[in-house]
Structure formats: C-alpha cells, structure tokens
Amino acid sequence: MGIATTLLILSLFLILLLVAINYCRILLYWRRQNVDSFSSLKINMESKKRHLGLVLSEFYHVMYREKKPLMVSPSFLLTTVMIQDLDIIRDLMMTNFEYFSDRGGFVNHQDPLSYTIVALTYNVWKPTRQKLSPTFTPAKLKTMFPTLVQIGEQFVNVIRSQLDAGVEDLNIDDLCSRFTTDVIGNIAFGIECNSLVNPSTEFRLYGEKATDFNIHPIFNIIGGKYPTLFRLLNLKMFNKEMTNFFTRIVRQTIEYREANNIRRNDFMDLLIELKKSDDGSDGFALSLEMIVAQVFSFFIAGYGTSSATLSYALYELAKNPAEQTKVRQNIEEVLVKSKNNTITYDGLQEMTYLQQAIQETLRKYPIVPNLRRMCRRPCTLHDSNGRVACEIPKDTFIGISVYGIHHNPDYYPQPEIFRPERFSDAEIAKRPACSYLPFGIGPRACMGLRFAKMQVAFCLALLLTHFKFSFSNTTPKDLSFDPGNPVFLTVKGGINLKVEKL
C-alpha cells in the first residue's frame, strides 16, 4: 500500500471519527434536556410515497397523543426540532421572533430569483419588508381591484363558451391556474397574458415551471445552514432560462413605463415608485435584481397558492351542496345592497359566510402544510406554565406541522368535515392562539395575504353567482396530493367538476 493511499484512508477515518464524535455530542446535548429524539429517515422514506405534509401530520398527532411538546431529529448536518405545543409555537414565532426570523433557505447572489423576501435572512429581510409592506394596504388593493374584475369577466366568458359547446365536465384546477396566471401577470408584470383564452402562452408555460427547482428542497435547507459552501459551488435554485425570462420581462416593463410615463396602479408601479424614491439611506437600496426577485416571489405566491385554494374551495362546495347554497345566498344578500348588483372590494368584506368558507378551505387544505424556521442565536423556549421547555442552539431548524394542527380534533372536532361555521367569531374565541396558521403568524407571516384573500374571495363570489358546481363521474371522491412537491400541498391528477349555468 502506497503512502498516498494510506494518507487517504487515514483522512477518511479521521473525518468519519469527527462526524461520529460530533453526532454523539449532539445526542448528549438533547438527552441532557430530556428531549426525546426521532429518526428523520423513516419520514424521508415515507415522503417519497405520500406528501410530506401528511407524513409530518401523522408524526404530529403521535406527539400530541403522547403529550410531547417537542422532539428532535439530531444530525451532524441538520438538526430539526419538531414543535407540537402551541404555546411554544407562539413563543418562537412572536415573543422570540428575532431569534427565529430566518426561514433557513439558500440565497445565491448570482441567482437573482433566489433573492426573494421569503428566503432573505433577517438583516436583509427587515428593510425589504419595510419597503414592500405599504404595497398591500387596503387602499392599494382597491386600485388593483378593477383588474380583477376585468379578468374575472373573461373567466366567466371562457366557462360559458365551454358550456355552450356542450362541455360540462371541466378541469377546474386548470381553469383556476389560468385565471390566477392572468391576474398575477397583469398586476405584477403589467402583461396581458390571456392564458384563459390561450393556455399555451409563454407566460403560462414559464409559470408552470416556476417551482421546478434545480436542486431538491432539502438541499435548499442545507444551503441555508452552509451558505458559504453552496456559494463556492455556485449552486442555483433556478435555471438560467427561467432567470433570463423573468429578468427580461421586468426590465422591459420598467423601461417602457418610465419612457412613456405610464401608470397602471399595479404592483409593478408601486415597486417602480419605491425604486425612484429609495435613496438607500437605510443602507439597503432597491436594485433591479431585488425588484425581479420580489415580483417573481409575488408571482409564485399568487399564482400557485391562490389557484390551489380556489380549486379546493370549489371542490368542497361541490361536495357539500348545502354549503354551496348558503355561500351563494350570502353573496346574493350583499349584492342586492350594492350598486348595479356588482361585486365590490368593500362588498367582499361583508360576505362573511363566503369568507368563513375560504378560511375553512385553508384549514382543511393549508397550501403550505409545514412551517420552517432557523434559530439565529441560542434561545430558551418556555411552555404554557412559563417553565423552560428547552435551550435551542444556533443554526437549529424548527419544524411546525400546520396540516397536523389544522386536523387536530381537539381544536377542530370532526376535522375531515367541511364546516365554515368553525370560523364564526364565537367559535374562533374558543380555540387557543396559533391553532390556525395558513399564512404563518407573527412578523414574518405572508406579506401578500390580503391580496390572496381578495383574489380568492372575488373569484368565488363571481363564479358562484353565475354557475352551480357539482361532482361529475370523473371527480375524485378523495383528493390525493403530489409527493413530488413537498413545499406546497398540490393535488395530484387535477380536479374535474360538473358546471351548470344558473
């Protein structure tokens, strides 16, 4: 055996020894705190066959039954603490937010699309959030509402044309994604996408690829903990074609509007105004790359999540015709009081049962079924009695099963039943804090939730005033979710419904 081979074997042995020592050190740390551990291997294996959200939900219910407020999956690469206790969740998401303000995603500065507000670390996220938050005030949303109305009318006409052609069994999943593509494309990019009329438009095709990441989400998490290594390797979440497309669209839109002094009262307008007025006095200027990333983030959030929520809501209303009738009656009661019997922004706020149906949809089908945070510096978490639950070391990941919480029968009796009344003021008051987390909670909750709620509520109100939805022969009795997309709860195989004119 040569000297080189001997040195290689000794080096490998030393590396493995250091890994083993470090792993034992991590195990002992959590054992001293009386925190039970679990192996993530079984969860990873199960998630290849079933959606990760469902797998972690089952694990959450085991923890809840055994009254374990938290458990840990120790690893020399990534240590993750699963939290079941709602008081601890509130502690880390709100009281001790600054300790857990990072989501733990990888940001590569040579990969502009990865620089979204969702992935940014605290020091960059905070000034970005402060700059962007004013874009989603009720006043700003009202200026976007006419665009929703215009695209909504096209949506109704497209469905009517299919019904007139004798097609009653419609792919609602596909239609809703085309609607949200046109809305987001128009409001975020100022582009008339027309995917409702032509499903094969360039914008729609790129939208379908938006979550086809170059690297698996698990490597995105590892990159969040070891960003220097990943940047040296120049790993990128998105391919060059995707980056070039969205960068080109944003740059061309900005240049055209500035050259022709055009205003559309949309998201892009607001970002352009921010860029003009941003003097960088806070040490952070809003660059073109930053605008591209935030517009792209808005597109992903508004396109995929909103279309899925619409599909799930229509599915449940078709499955529960009595609920569909109640929601429609609520809409009609408000429309009678409005001018010209039209849906308005203010009118949507008065459609309380419609809003409750949307909340119940998001309870039963949280589009982001798991929340993730990363501890920025050592922190002590406390339980409901104020006692120390555990000491969380720096760079530890936190996992929260939103799907599990939303399907806990102690919070939501008979959780598999669709019951919008759960979200009356009286029912909400009975439940503990942090038992409803479709948009997260605390300072880092979804920034665009007002827009998402407006888009979904308007579309449902519009469709239910024109059409009746019911199950067809091709409608699945039970929905199955795509395990290939562990980040979002997306249906596998689409949703077909029978649609009839009213």
Side-chain angles (χ1 to χ4, degrees), residues 6 14 78 135 193 200 234 274 350 376 432 450:
T6 302
L14 182 60
L78 295 172
T135 63
C193 299
S200 300
N234 197 26
L274 274 175
E350 298 178 33
R376 298 175 63 238
R450 285 197 187 101

Side-chain angles (χ1 to χ4, degrees), residues 325-343:
T325 299
K326 289 169 73 172
V327 172
R328 186 177 291 111
Q329 287 173 346
N330 177 229
I331 295 166
E332 291 171 349
E333 287 168 1
V334 174
L335 289 180
V336 167
K337 298 182 289 183
S338 68
K339 272 188 177 182
N340 303 320
N341 208 41
T342 56
I343 302 170

Side-chain angles (χ1 to χ4, degrees), residues 168-182:
E168 289 185 340
D169 191 357
L170 302 183
N171 187 333
I172 291 298
D173 203 39
D174 175 68
L175 285 168
C176 288
S177 70
R178 285 155 60 186
F179 167 75
T180 55
T181 298
D182 285 358

Side-chain angles (χ1 to χ4, degrees), residues 117-132:
I117 194 167
V118 174
L120 295 177
T121 55
Y122 180 75
N123 293 336
V124 184
W125 167 83
K126 188 175 180 179
T128 305
R129 174 91 181 204
Q130 289 172 342
K131 293 175 190 292
L132 297 181

Side-chain angles (χ1 to χ4, degrees), residues 86-106:
L86 298 185
D87 291 297
I88 298 178
I89 291 174
R90 181 174 57 183
D91 192 13
L92 70 92
M93 299 285 273
M94 299 177 73
T95 308
N96 287 304
F97 164 73
E98 289 198 2
Y99 291 85
F100 300 93
S101 57
D102 291 352
R103 296 180 187 272
F106 173 56

Side-chain angles (χ1 to χ4, degrees), residues 237-474:
M237 285 289 292
F238 303 94
N239 61 47
K240 189 175 181 180
E241 181 187 11
M242 182 77 65
T243 300
N244 289 343
F245 172 76
F246 283 102
T247 302
R248 172 174 58 85
I249 292 295
V250 172
R251 180 182 290 111
Q252 289 176 350
T253 300
I254 292 175
E255 290 174 352
Y256 179 76
R257 292 193 188 188
E258 290 182 337
N260 295 278
N261 197 28
I262 293 173
R263 290 191 59 83
R264 288 171 52 99
N265 293 320
D266 57 13
F267 185 61
M268 182 67 77
D269 261 3
L270 301 172
L271 289 177
I272 292 172
E273 288 303 312
L274 274 175
K275 184 174 183 293
K276 287 180 180 177
S277 61
D278 189 10
D279 58 5
S281 58
D282 57 2
F284 180 78
L286 196 64
S287 63
L288 173 66
E289 291 74 20
M290 181 62 76
I291 290 177
V292 172
Q294 305 328 309
V295 172
F296 179 69
S297 176
F298 181 58
F299 175 77
I300 290 181
Y303 159 70
T305 60
S306 293
S307 66
T309 302
L310 282 168
S311 299
Y312 291 140
L314 290 170
Y315 174 84
E316 284 295 337
L317 293 174
K319 187 176 183 179
N320 300 276
E323 295 296 342
Q324 183 177 163
T325 299
K326 289 169 73 172
V327 172
R328 186 177 291 111
Q329 287 173 346
N330 177 229
I331 295 166
E332 291 171 349
E333 287 168 1
V334 174
L335 289 180
V336 167
K337 298 182 289 183
S338 68
K339 272 188 177 182
N340 303 320
N341 208 41
T342 56
I343 302 170
T344 64
Y345 177 85
D346 292 325
L348 288 177
Q349 318 312 312
E350 298 178 33
M351 298 176 186
T352 53
Y353 202 75
L354 169 66
Q355 300 289 349
Q356 289 172 17
I358 295 170
Q359 288 175 292
E360 174 68 347
T361 299
L362 288 168
R363 177 202 66 81
K364 195 170 179 184
Y365 306 101
I367 307 304
V368 180
N370 307 299
L371 295 179
R372 185 182 75 238
R373 292 291 186 270
M374 188 171 76
C375 186
R376 298 175 63 238
R377 55 183 185 268
C379 178
T380 302
L381 295 179
H382 299 83
D383 62 19
S384 57
N385 297 314
R387 295 174 300 198
V388 173
C390 72
E391 302 277 349
I392 304 290
K394 182 179 181 293
D395 292 337
T396 301
F397 281 86
I398 302 295
I400 300 169
S401 174
V402 177
Y403 193 95
I405 293 169
H406 285 191
H407 289 76
N408 187 329
D410 284 348
Y411 307 143
Y412 302 97
Q414 298 179 295
E416 296 308 316
I417 294 177
F418 183 78
R419 191 166 66 84
E421 289 88 351
R422 298 182 201 271
F423 290 92
S424 66
D425 290 342
E427 288 292 312
I428 292 174
K430 296 177 183 178
R431 291 192 290 271
C434 297
S435 59
Y436 185 67
L437 302 168
F439 297 100
I441 197 169
R444 200 142 187 178
C446 176
M447 188 175 65
L449 66 90
R450 285 197 187 101
F451 178 83
K453 288 179 178 179
M454 176 182 74
Q455 181 180 211
V456 171
F458 169 76
C459 186
L460 286 177
L462 185 68
L463 293 180
L464 291 172
T465 56
H466 289 89
F467 307 107
K468 175 185 175 183
F469 297 86
S470 56
F471 274 21
S472 69
N473 293 332
T474 59

Side-chain angles (χ1 to χ4, degrees), residues 62-108:
V62 171
M63 291 175 64
Y64 186 83
R65 285 195 302 270
E66 296 179 358
K67 298 182 178 180
K68 294 178 179 178
L70 48 84
M71 291 183 70
V72 62
S73 173
S75 167
F76 68 93
L77 273 181
L78 295 172
T79 294
T80 301
V81 177
M82 286 291 296
I83 309 289
Q84 173 274 124
D85 185 274
L86 298 185
D87 291 297
I88 298 178
I89 291 174
R90 181 174 57 183
D91 192 13
L92 70 92
M93 299 285 273
M94 299 177 73
T95 308
N96 287 304
F97 164 73
E98 289 198 2
Y99 291 85
F100 300 93
S101 57
D102 291 352
R103 296 180 187 272
F106 173 56
V107 176
N108 184 345

